[in-house]
């Protein structure tokens, strides 16, 4: 079974994000970039399926600038077999990414596609669902457990009321939640081996996909600075401040 895993290059989660002076976007100059944490979970799950003998090949795909090859090499070091970079310097929305992934799915014909449920930069939580709609595949979102049984995949997903298990016919789309697994660290020998694994670079034009966006970013602002909290000596003082200063009662 071939597994396709989508990964995204994002600002490292330990970095404090800065907005550009002209409010046109996020300042990425000299900022550490890494693989989206939810995508790391997706790669780990694919590798575990291969270790169980369920998956025979893991293909990782990323959409972004040339520098996204770094994250693809990381995925290869974690256990993926080969990588595809859809090279684009444009700011792509979720639908454009889903269309590009659909073109890759048509080309590679995987039986299972695993994505992180969302990216920590845009937080849209849309691409997996859009890809399922475009391909017509069944989808299991927010997966906390994935089990492949014959021509089906059973996905336990987290919902407001607890846990729900859905059985999907393969091929299928799965998006990963935090509690699905804990990603491993790449060992030095595997990092060296990853440098020799195949990495294919294609363009949106070569895939026959238009990435023209219908959404335009007008302005990016940092969150308002929160004022420091204060201590009160009594309930009466608390009520007075809530009523007269905060004006919430």
């Amino acid at each position: 079974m071939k597994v396709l895993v989508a990964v995204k290059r994002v600002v490292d989660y330990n970095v404090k994000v800065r907005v550009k002076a002209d409010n046109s976007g996020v300042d990425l100059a000299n900022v550490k970039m890494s693989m989206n944490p939810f995508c790391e979970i997706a790669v780990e799950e694919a590798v575990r399926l291969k270790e169980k003998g369920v998956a025979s090949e893991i293909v990782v795909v990323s959409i972004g600038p040339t520098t996204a090859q770094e994250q693809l090499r990381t995925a290869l070091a974690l256990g993926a077999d080969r990588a595809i970079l859809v090279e684009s310097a444009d700011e792509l929305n979720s639908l454009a990414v889903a269309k590009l992934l659909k073109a890759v799915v048509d080309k590679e014909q995987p039986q299972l596609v695993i994505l992180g449920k969302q990216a920590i930069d845009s937080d849209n939580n849309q691409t997996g669902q859009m890809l399922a709609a475009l391909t017509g595949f069944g989808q299991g979102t927010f997966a906390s457990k994935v089990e492949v049984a014959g021509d089906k995949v059973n996905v336990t997903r987290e919902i407001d009321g607890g846990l729900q298990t859905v059985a999907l016919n393969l091929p299928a789309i799965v998006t990963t939640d935090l509690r699905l697994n804990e990603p491993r660290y790449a060992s030095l020998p595997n990092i060296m081996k990853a440098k020799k694994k195949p990495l294919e670079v294609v363009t949106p034009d070569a895939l026959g996909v238009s990435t023209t966006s219908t959404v335009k970013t007008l302005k990016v602002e940092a969150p308002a600075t929160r004022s420091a909290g204060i201590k009160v000596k009594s309930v009466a003082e608390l009520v007075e401040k809530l009523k007269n200063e905060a004006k919430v009662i």
Side-chain angles (χ1 to χ4, degrees):
M1 182 176 78
K2 181 188 290 189
V3 180
L4 181 72
V5 183
V7 301
K8 186 177 182 182
R9 175 182 172 88
V10 299
V11 176
D12 190 88
Y13 67 91
N14 289 310
V15 173
K16 185 176 181 180
V17 176
R18 301 188 309 271
V19 175
K20 292 180 180 178
D22 61 358
N23 295 106
S24 62
V26 174
D27 186 2
L28 300 180
N30 301 315
V31 171
K32 181 183 178 183
M33 307 293 284
S34 62
M35 190 191 304
N36 179 49
F38 288 100
C39 298
E40 289 182 352
I41 295 170
V43 173
E44 174 66 23
E45 192 62 23
V47 173
R48 292 188 184 189
L49 288 174
K50 188 176 181 181
E51 289 173 344
K52 292 176 184 177
V54 175
S56 57
E57 183 183 25
I58 301 170
V59 183
V60 289
V61 57
S62 187
I63 301 167
T66 305
T67 46
Q69 292 188 26
E70 177 187 351
Q71 280 65 48
L72 288 173
R73 292 293 179 193
T74 299
L76 292 172
L78 291 172
D81 297 296
R82 58 189 177 90
I84 300 171
L85 173 62
V86 181
E87 193 170 26
S88 174
D90 298 332
E91 183 179 345
L92 303 177
N93 59 25
S94 300
L95 181 57
V97 171
K99 287 179 177 179
L100 289 168
L101 289 177
K102 199 263 183 184
V104 175
V105 167
D106 290 343
K107 177 184 175 185
E108 293 292 332
Q109 295 294 308
Q111 284 71 53
L112 184 62
V113 183
I114 309 179
L115 308 90
K117 73 170 185 178
Q118 65 193 80
I120 62 171
D121 53 359
S122 58
D123 265 342
N124 285 334
N125 185 6
Q126 295 175 329
T127 304
Q129 292 88 326
M130 289 179 171
L131 178 60
L134 291 172
T135 57
F137 294 173
Q139 59 177 309
T141 55
F142 320 136
S144 60
K145 187 177 181 181
V146 176
E147 292 180 317
V148 177
D151 61 348
K152 292 184 182 292
V153 56
N154 297 321
V155 179
T156 301
R157 54 192 303 270
E158 300 189 353
I159 59 175
D160 292 340
L163 298 176
Q164 177 191 57
T165 300
V166 294
L168 310 173
N169 292 322
L170 295 175
I173 310 287
V174 173
T175 70
T176 62
D177 212 338
L178 284 173
R179 279 164 287 281
L180 178 59
N181 60 52
E182 186 172 338
R184 69 193 68 190
Y185 291 99
S187 64
L188 183 58
N190 286 340
I191 292 173
M192 300 306 293
K193 291 176 184 177
K195 294 180 179 179
K196 297 181 180 179
K197 289 184 178 180
L199 194 159
E200 179 186 0
V201 179
V202 298
T203 63
D205 289 341
L207 294 173
V209 177
S210 171
T211 58
T212 303
S213 177
T214 56
V215 179
K216 182 180 179 181
T217 300
L218 299 179
K219 190 177 184 181
V220 177
E221 292 181 321
T225 304
R226 298 177 62 182
S227 57
I230 60 172
K231 291 183 179 181
V232 295
K233 295 179 180 180
S234 66
V235 174
E237 185 181 355
L238 173 61
V239 173
E240 188 273 331
K241 288 187 177 294
L242 289 175
K243 184 176 181 179
N244 298 320
E245 292 185 17
K247 298 186 185 299
V248 293
I249 59 174

